[in-house]
Amino acid sequence: MFEYDVCIVGTGRVGLPLGLSLMETGALVTGVDRDAALRDQVNSGKMPFQEPGYTELVGTRRFQIHDSPSVIANARALVITVGTPLHNHIETDLGQVRSVLESIAPHLRPGQLLCLRSTVAPGTTTYVARWLERHTKLVLGRDLGLAFCPERIVEGKAYEELRTLPQIIGTQDAASAEAAAALFGRLTNDLLHSDFVTAELVKLFNNITRYVHFALANHLALVSDTLGANIFEIQRLTNYKYPRHGVASPGFTAGTCLRKDFGMINEWTPYPDLLLSAWKMNEYMPMFIVQHLKQRTQIFERRIVVLGYTFKADSDDTRDSLVPKLLRYVERELPTELRVSDHHLPDPIVDPSYGTARNWNAKAAIEDADSVIIATNHTGYGNVLRELCVRRPDAWVADLWNVGKIGKVFYQARELAGLE
Ligand SMILES: NC(=O)c1ccc[n+]([C@@H]2O[C@H](COP(=O)([O-])OP(=O)(O)OC[C@H]3O[C@@H](n4cnc5c(N)ncnc54)[C@H](O)[C@@H]3O)[C@@H](O)[C@H]2O)c1
């Protein structure tokens, strides 16, 4: 009756790995995406972004992505994995979800399951249910299944985590629960059933917990440095053989998911709450780095190198990275030169939230650097710092990620001498 087992609608960083992993289980998978460049890459057998484990699967070219949403009529299950950003205000933007509903509604058929997998604000799946009831003749639970099954992978580990993470199945009727379990049961036997809003909150609470946890780590790093103490030494002592919650490591906490998911809960409260404080703390970290580096050395009329641009280590994803903000804060200090390097990105780096920047080779960039800021903890930066120690021992380093493994946020490169 259906040519495909599943059609992924929105084959980006979440949809594409999911489709390929389902394909690996033997499912017949197809996709729809409005991005022509992404379609061309995938359809010719190439990954359009870095996500380990998928090169061979995409290379089979058995996962073909279409422009027209009419292909959804041929699939038993549809999984929606489009973006769900925030508006500029603290307000969820449902634009992409609504536009997908408008484009697929004319092609929906009895016997299908519609599964929302994008991260959504609480109440969105109920909104989708009502929208479908108003705009189609299909009766939910009888003609059409509806489920919310959140994606909880982290970028860079999709291949592994799609097989190991339990899958949350949020439904409001038995037929939809059965159809969604059949789909995600291909990936794991660990299926946890619940209702729409509970499943929506599980995903958001997973991410918010991480966001607040890192905000606390950043807060403690700020307090430590203000008092002349070393957060990494304190972390070592607090966590050593202590059986309760440990102090997390500081870092630039951002990225497309963590910041916006906090906004999806934050819009439900009118007063300054804990989440707002966590947001402020994480957003402050670029300022912390610049101001506390300035307490040690001059930035004005000096040559500053920033290593890393993406929002997380060993990734090519620049969305919602705090690095553009860091670069602007450094520029405000009027350095002689600001050099940026990220070997996961092309040269030049073109990013709407910053503009265009030359992407330096890291070792060339540090040759005559006065200060080096480690903005992302990419693998390989430890070696760059060891080179800096030899070439520019007086250079200051701001190393919030402890890439130099020296256990200090701020230090001079010469302190790295003799370390492995
Ligand atoms: N990136 C992650 O690690 C991650 C992890 C868990 C959950 N999520 C959530 O998953 C969702 C998708 O995130 P992403 O990172 O994959 O986003 P993405 O921007 O990489 O992918 C979304 C894709 O949907 C396509 N699209 C948008 N509207 C469309 C339409 N009307 N028709 C066809 N295609 C359309 C876009 O072209 C894009 O390729 C978001 O809600 C996000 O919060 C992301």
Side-chain angles (χ1 to χ4, degrees):
M1 185 182 169
F2 292 103
E3 189 183 342
Y4 299 103
D5 296 306
V6 56
C7 176
I8 309 287
V9 184
T11 51
R13 290 186 182 257
V14 159
L16 180 58
L18 175 66
L20 291 168
S21 282
L22 285 169
M23 194 179 90
E24 197 179 31
T25 69
L28 296 171
V29 184
T30 189
V32 179
D33 202 292
R34 63 185 183 185
D35 181 336
L38 178 142
R39 287 197 309 270
D40 288 348
Q41 288 218 50
V42 176
N43 293 347
S44 61
K46 294 189 204 86
M47 282 300 282
F49 45 77
Q50 294 174 4
E51 187 59 57
Y54 290 105
T55 313
E56 269 183 42
L57 281 167
V58 82
T60 64
R61 299 167 67 175
R62 282 192 286 122
F63 185 18
Q64 289 289 306
I65 303 174
H66 304 263
D67 182 18
S68 167
S70 61
V71 69
I72 68 128
N74 304 328
R76 181 181 304 282
L78 319 171
V79 182
I80 297 180
T81 46
V82 295
T84 47
L86 294 182
H87 285 295
N88 281 343
H89 296 278
I90 297 176
E91 179 198 355
T92 305
D93 179 359
L94 278 184
Q96 290 191 41
V97 171
R98 206 166 27 239
S99 96
V100 161
L101 290 175
E102 283 162 3
S103 67
I104 65 172
H107 310 289
L108 288 169
R109 287 167 56 193
Q112 290 183 310
L113 168 75
L114 181 64
C115 174
L116 190 57
R117 195 158 172 87
S118 301
T119 303
V120 295
T124 304
T125 318
T126 300
Y127 167 83
V128 170
R130 289 184 179 151
W131 193 99
L132 290 167
E133 275 163 7
R134 177 176 293 181
H135 293 92
T136 73
K137 294 197 166 50
L138 300 165
V139 176
L140 293 181
R142 189 193 70 189
D143 306 325
L144 184 71
L146 179 63
F148 176 70
C149 305
E151 182 56 83
R152 298 191 300 158
I153 53 130
V154 288
E155 272 180 41
K157 290 194 177 167
Y159 185 77
E160 175 194 333
E161 291 195 348
L162 277 167
R163 292 301 196 121
T164 54
L165 286 183
Q167 295 291 330
I168 312 287
I169 311 279
T171 51
Q172 307 281 60
D173 67 87
S176 301
E178 197 181 319
L183 177 61
F184 290 101
R186 288 178 168 277
L187 297 171
T188 174
N189 293 326
D190 232 343
L191 303 176
L192 305 175
H193 285 270
S194 190
D195 54 68
F196 291 162
V197 77
T198 304
E200 289 166 345
L201 291 177
V202 167
K203 166 65 195 177
L204 292 171
F205 288 4
N206 272 146
N207 274 8
I208 287 166
T209 302
R210 273 166 67 73
Y211 194 68
V212 174
H213 188 57
F214 294 139
L216 177 61
N218 286 333
H219 181 75
L220 299 180
L222 169 68
V223 170
S224 306
D225 204 61
T226 303
L227 293 172
N230 176 359
I231 183 60
F232 293 116
E233 172 69 354
I234 296 168
Q235 185 193 35
R236 190 174 67 79
L237 301 181
T238 49
N239 293 356
Y240 184 69
K241 291 190 180 174
Y242 187 68
R244 285 168 282 282
H245 287 291
V247 173
S249 296
F252 277 2
T253 308
T256 178
C257 285
L258 292 189
R259 193 187 65 84
K260 91 175 160 59
D261 292 0
F262 119 90
M264 289 186 179
I265 291 297
N266 201 252
E267 69 181 355
W268 289 86
T269 51
Y271 40 78
D273 60 8
L274 183 67
L275 298 182
L276 206 56
S277 302
W279 181 50
K280 275 282 287 170
M281 187 64 242
N282 288 332
E283 285 289 316
Y284 177 72
M285 293 316 279
M287 181 66 89
F288 163 71
I289 289 296
V290 171
Q291 292 308 319
H292 285 233
L293 179 63
K294 247 174 76 182
Q295 288 168 12
R296 280 132 171 133
T297 185
Q298 193 170 316
I299 297 179
F300 177 62
E301 293 189 340
R302 294 287 186 273
R303 196 160 278 118
I304 313 297
V305 174
V306 170
L307 296 181
Y309 190 101
T310 62
F311 86 85
K312 69 179 291 185
D314 300 334
S315 158
D316 61 354
D317 196 345
T318 61
R319 295 176 299 172
D320 258 331
S321 169
L322 285 172
V323 180
K325 185 169 170 172
L326 171 78
L327 297 174
R328 285 189 287 269
Y329 286 158
V330 174
E331 283 164 358
R332 278 192 208 176
E333 302 298 328
L334 294 173
T336 312
E337 193 179 357
L338 171 58
R339 295 174 179 170
V340 189
S341 173
D342 191 317
H343 54 279
H344 288 272
L345 297 177
D347 177 24
I349 298 169
V350 182
D351 178 12
S353 63
Y354 184 66
T356 302
R358 174 178 169 188
N359 189 358
W360 283 73
N361 169 281
K363 289 194 176 162
I366 59 149
E367 285 265 309
D368 48 1
D370 295 307
S371 288
V372 173
I373 301 173
I374 308 286
T376 314
N377 51 337
H378 288 318
T379 304
Y381 284 165
N383 289 337
V384 180
L385 288 180
R386 272 175 275 288
E387 188 105 1
L388 183 75
C389 167
V390 175
R391 292 177 183 277
R392 302 286 288 174
D394 291 340
W396 275 89
V397 182
D399 185 7
L400 190 60
W401 298 100
N402 197 15
V403 162
K405 297 204 165 42
I406 197 171
K408 285 185 181 180
V409 179
F410 300 97
Y411 51 88
Q412 282 184 287
R414 71 160 68 85
E415 295 185 54
L416 291 157
L419 290 177
E420 278 307 301

